[in-house]
Structure formats: structure tokens, C-alpha cells
């Protein structure tokens, strides 16, 4: 029986979909069977981030309404065995499915895999309720900005009022240089306000943009710092004890040159 | 100028934008967590009024009930002009 996670944030644009794609891919790299569910009905984009957009035949609403079987709608990733996507419907809206249907669907998916991740839409309306319905755990994504932390706080309140206990925090897009200059909230500032367990910290990384352009999650790129951070997070999700990434002692001059030349760094 | 130098050397000044963000975040979360919607405040106002009206005649038009945000705390401030006391039936 698989574990169900909802990846949520309240605010849009903080990296929910990127986080879902990367944690899922990294877990599949570790050998787990993972299903990623795009719960953002009407605005699907997890398929694009994963590079699977051309292979969609059926979607989540088709399964919920019985037009196809779950197996037919799941898209298997060609790069990694054990990674599947259940895409959202693009032409419907959030009311096309109810939280109860979602719960039922997730229960069916969990029978087939080790982890299910629901990529939640922004907001706190029905899309959020649908995405959380099938999950028993939650990953809250935020960035070190006032608006994002505020929305994360609201989401944590809503999660705790539902059946989901002890949500986990991912702080995304940290810029170590700005933190050092006193121009960005640091990890401790954010944790102090939100008071939930930290699952991981992810540095801001241009390779996230290039990997999204290509439809290849950054965890597949050994040069990506964000990819490394997400691989660490995946191992923590799998129960390993992995130390947090040291963002302060970023790469030195030599490492930077090596990376520019495309050489792998330690 | 000093601030600029401090920034160049990576020292945080009290006016660093991080500290501003930190303070704004603290206040906004304090406010959010009170979870006092305008409707709730209106209900509180009505209930308060009903209780007070049993004891005194007040000027409802110019009364003012609101949450006051201080730097350190939040206070419920009510300014209710009293027209006169009601004569309570003596026991």
C-alpha cells in the first residue's frame, strides 16, 4: 500500500509542480514505484515539466467518470522504470471531480505503487480540497518571501484542520548570496514563523529553467544544485536521514569553472 | 555610505531588507492567525452593543470597535460614547 502525499503551497508560482516532478523522479531513480497525479484540472502542466505532454490519451477525469481504466490513463516515463503520470483534464474545471471521487481514485492508485504525489493547484478552493482528499501526508512548498510564507501559513492551518497531520516544509529558491547580504529571509526565519518540520531546502538554480525547457526534471542532471537538493529530499521521504545541503559554503571559483566547462563536480 | 560599506562586507544592518521582511511577516501572520473576518468583527460589535445597552444609552452612530495593531501586540479597542446611564430597577 503506497503513501499519498499532496504537494501544496497556497500561493502560485513557488515551485509545486517542479517539486512534485523532481521528488517523484528522484524516488523512481531510487527504485520506488511512483505515481504523480496532476490535480490541477483545467491548468495542467506537470505533463510538460516531465516531458510527457505528447503521450496523453486519457486523463484523471476520464478515470473518475469510468471512460477508461486507471492503467490506460497512466503514462509510463520512458527514462525511468517505475515512474508514472496521471494527467489532469485540460478542458474541464475543478468541479469535474469531487473530493470523494479523488479519494477513491487515490486508494486505487496506492494499491499499485509505493508513493503517490498529488500536485495541488494554487488556492484554497475545491482544487485544494480535491488534491488533499486522497493524501495522508503533505509537503508545503514556500519561497523565502513574505507573501509565500503567509500563504503557506494559511495552508498549514487548513491542512491541520483536515485529516492531514504534521505537514512537511520545503523552502525553495533560496539565494545564498542574498541571504548572506541580509537581503533574503533565511531558512531559520521561515521555520520560526511556520513551526513545522523541515523536509528540505532548495537553492535557486537556473538549471531548473533549462531542465523545464527540455522536459527533463533537474534530478536527472548531476550538475544541478537544485537537483541535488531534490535527490536529498527524496531520500528523506524514503526514510533516510540525510543532512541538509550546505548552501552557505557554495561552490568555489574552481568548481564554478569546472561546471562551466561541463565537468562534474564532487 | 556606511550602510553601503557594511553591505559590501556582508554585514547585516538593521535596515536590511531581510529584517524588514521579517517584521512585516511577523505582523501579517499575527493578523492572519487572529482569523477575525469583517463579519466576525461585526458580530462581536452587535453582541457587545446588546450587552452595553442593558446598562447605558450609547451613541451607536459614533461608536468604533476595531483591532489596533501595535508593533508588539494586537489590542481590541472600543470607543463607545455614552449618552447616559440607564436607571436600573433597584432590587
Amino acid at each position: 500500500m503506497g503513501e499519498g502525499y499532496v504537494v501544496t503551497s497556497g500561493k502560485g508560482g513557488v515551485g509545486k509542480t517542479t517539486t512534485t516532478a523532481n521528488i517523484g523522479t528522484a524516488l523512481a531513480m531510487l527504485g520506488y514505484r511512483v505515481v504523480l497525479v496532476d490535480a490541477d484540472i483545467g491548468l495542467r502542466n506537470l505533463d510538460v515539466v516531465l516531458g510527457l505532454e505528447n503521450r496523453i490519451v486519457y486523463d484523471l477525469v476520464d478515470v473518475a467518470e469510468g471512460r477508461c481504466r486507471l492503467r490506460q490513463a497512466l503514462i509510463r516515463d520512458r527514462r525511468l522504470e517505475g515512474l508514472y503520470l496521471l494527467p489532469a483534464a485540460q478542458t474541464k474545471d475543478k468541479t469535474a471531480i469531487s473530493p470523494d471521487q479523488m479519494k477513491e481514485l487515490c486508494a486505487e492508485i496506492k494499491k499499485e505503487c509505493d508513493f503517490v504525489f498529488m500536485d495541488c493547484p494554487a488556492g484554497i478552493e475545491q482544487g485544494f480540497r480535491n488534491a488533499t482528499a486522497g493524501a495522508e501526508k503533505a509537503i508545503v512548498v514556500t519561497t523565502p518571501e513574505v507573501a509565500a510564507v503567509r500563504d503557506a501559513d494559511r495552508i498549514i492551518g487548513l491542512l491541520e484542520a483536515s485529516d492531514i497531520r504534521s505537514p512537511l516544509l520545503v523552502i525553495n529558491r533560496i539565494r545564498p548570496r542574498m541571504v548572506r547580504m541580509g537581503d533574503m529571509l533565511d531558512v531559520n526565519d521561515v521555520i520560526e514563523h511556520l513551526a513545522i518540520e523541515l523536509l528540505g531546502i532548495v537553492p535557486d538554480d537556473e538549471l531548473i529553467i533549462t531542465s523545464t525547457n527540455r522536459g527533463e526534471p533537474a534530478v536527472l542532471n548531476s550538475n544541478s544544485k537544485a537537483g541535488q537538493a531534490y535527490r536529498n529530499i527524496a531520500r528523506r521521504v524514503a526514510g533516510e536521514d540525510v543532512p541538509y545541503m550546505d548552501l552557505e559554503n557554495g561552490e568555489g571559483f574552481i568548481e564554478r569553472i569546472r561546471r562551466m566547462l561541463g565537468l562534474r563536480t564532487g | 555610505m556606511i550602510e553601503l560599506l557594511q553591505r559590501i562586507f556582508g554585514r547585516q544592518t538593521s535596515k536590511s531588507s531581510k529584517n524588514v521582511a521579517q517584521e512585516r511577516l511577523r505582523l501579517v501572520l499575527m493578523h492572519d492567525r487572529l482569523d477575525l473576518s469583517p463579519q466576525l468583527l461585526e458580530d462581536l460589535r452587535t453582541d457587545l452593543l446588546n450587552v452595553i445597552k442593558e446598562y447605558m444609552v450609547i451613541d451607536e452612530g459614533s461608536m468604533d470597535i476595531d483591532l489596533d495593531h501595535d508593533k508588539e501586540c494586537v489590542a481590541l479597542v472600543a470607543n463607545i460614547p455614552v449618552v447616559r446611564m440607564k436607571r436600573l430597577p433597584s432590587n
Side-chain angles (χ1 to χ4, degrees):
Chain A
M1 189 74 179
E3 290 182 322
Y5 282 85
V6 58
V7 180
T8 182
S9 67
K11 189 175 177 299
V14 299
K16 281 181 297 297
T17 304
T18 305
T19 299
T20 308
N22 279 288
I23 298 179
T25 306
L27 279 166
M29 288 164 77
L30 293 171
Y32 292 99
R33 284 178 307 161
V34 184
V35 176
L36 305 180
V37 179
D38 191 344
D40 200 346
I41 298 167
L43 288 171
R44 75 175 170 213
N45 44 37
L46 184 55
D47 53 334
V48 175
V49 174
L50 289 164
L52 300 173
E53 69 273 20
N54 292 326
R55 297 180 44 209
I56 297 175
V57 181
Y58 294 109
D59 58 51
L60 186 153
V61 177
D62 292 326
V63 182
E65 292 179 352
R67 272 192 294 278
C68 69
R69 282 175 294 115
L70 173 63
R71 293 256 175 133
Q72 291 175 287
L74 288 177
I75 301 164
R76 195 176 74 79
D77 189 291
R78 289 204 178 110
R79 291 157 298 205
L80 286 163
E81 206 176 320
L83 181 62
Y84 296 85
L85 167 72
L86 180 58
Q90 180 69 335
T91 52
K92 311 259 173 31
D93 66 29
K94 318 284 181 214
T95 56
I97 188 166
S98 70
D100 282 342
Q101 282 176 303
M102 196 69 182
K103 207 168 184 169
E104 212 174 288
L105 182 59
C106 285
E108 200 185 334
I109 298 172
K110 281 179 209 161
K111 284 184 214 154
E112 310 274 331
C113 66
D114 302 307
F115 294 99
V116 188
F117 289 88
M118 260 71 67
D119 185 18
C120 181
I124 52 175
E125 295 82 23
Q126 184 167 350
F128 169 76
R129 288 195 298 276
N130 280 344
T132 49
E136 54 279 347
K137 295 183 176 180
I139 294 172
V140 176
V141 184
T142 191
T143 56
E145 294 159 85
V146 178
V149 176
R150 179 200 202 171
D151 289 1
D153 186 69
R154 181 99 167 87
I155 283 292
I156 291 164
L158 292 173
L159 287 170
E160 284 173 348
S162 73
D163 291 340
I164 295 170
R165 300 273 170 261
S166 346
L168 303 164
L169 184 66
V170 168
I171 306 175
N172 194 15
R173 281 200 214 124
I174 298 169
R175 296 190 185 199
R177 201 186 62 83
M178 289 191 76
V179 172
R180 213 157 44 236
M181 299 295 280
D183 276 329
M184 182 175 263
L185 293 169
D186 65 32
V187 172
N188 289 329
D189 296 333
V190 177
I191 298 173
E192 208 173 284
H193 284 298
L194 296 179
I196 62 170
E197 194 188 324
L198 182 66
L199 178 63
I201 50 179
V202 184
D204 195 29
D205 185 352
E206 288 183 359
L207 286 175
I208 287 287
I209 296 170
T210 54
S211 72
T212 307
N213 289 344
R214 295 199 169 91
E216 293 166 359
V219 288
L220 296 169
N221 181 344
S222 54
N223 289 324
S224 166
K225 280 215 126 192
Q228 176 63 51
Y230 281 122
R231 285 196 295 275
N232 289 350
I233 290 173
R235 285 165 61 197
R236 287 184 204 114
V237 169
E240 259 185 78
D241 195 8
V242 187
Y244 296 116
M245 210 171 189
D246 188 0
L247 298 180
E248 269 308 303
N249 300 317
E251 54 186 354
F253 182 68
I254 302 291
E255 280 79 24
R256 206 152 46 214
I257 298 290
R258 283 169 66 99
R259 194 153 71 87
M260 280 194 292
L261 295 173
L263 298 169
R264 283 187 60 165
T265 56
Chain B
M1 186 61 195
I2 288 171
E3 199 186 316
L4 182 72
L5 283 174
Q6 283 176 321
R7 286 175 66 99
I8 288 168
F9 290 109
R11 269 205 210 112
Q12 291 176 16
T13 62
S14 57
K15 274 186 197 149
S16 74
S17 72
K18 167 220 158 111
N19 289 344
V20 176
Q22 180 80 307
E23 186 56 20
R24 292 178 59 218
L25 187 57
R26 198 177 65 78
L27 288 173
V28 86
L29 288 185
M30 188 160 66
H31 186 247
D32 287 358
R33 285 171 184 167
L34 281 172
D35 206 17
L36 208 57
S37 64
Q39 180 57 48
L40 211 68
L41 199 65
E42 195 49 48
D43 291 350
L44 171 69
R45 188 189 156 97
T46 314
D47 285 351
L48 267 177
L49 254 171
N50 289 337
V51 173
I52 293 165
K53 275 199 286 198
E54 284 182 29
Y55 298 90
M56 46 190 86
V57 177
I58 56 174
D59 180 1
E60 286 183 41
S62 54
M63 70 175 275
D64 179 34
I65 294 175
D66 210 349
L67 283 176
D68 198 36
H69 301 265
D70 196 86
K71 262 211 154 29
E72 296 302 319
C73 63
V74 177
L76 178 69
V77 178
N79 189 357
I80 307 169
V82 179
V83 178
R84 61 183 160 80
M85 298 302 286
K86 273 194 178 166
R87 264 180 244 276
L88 297 172
S90 53
N91 291 330

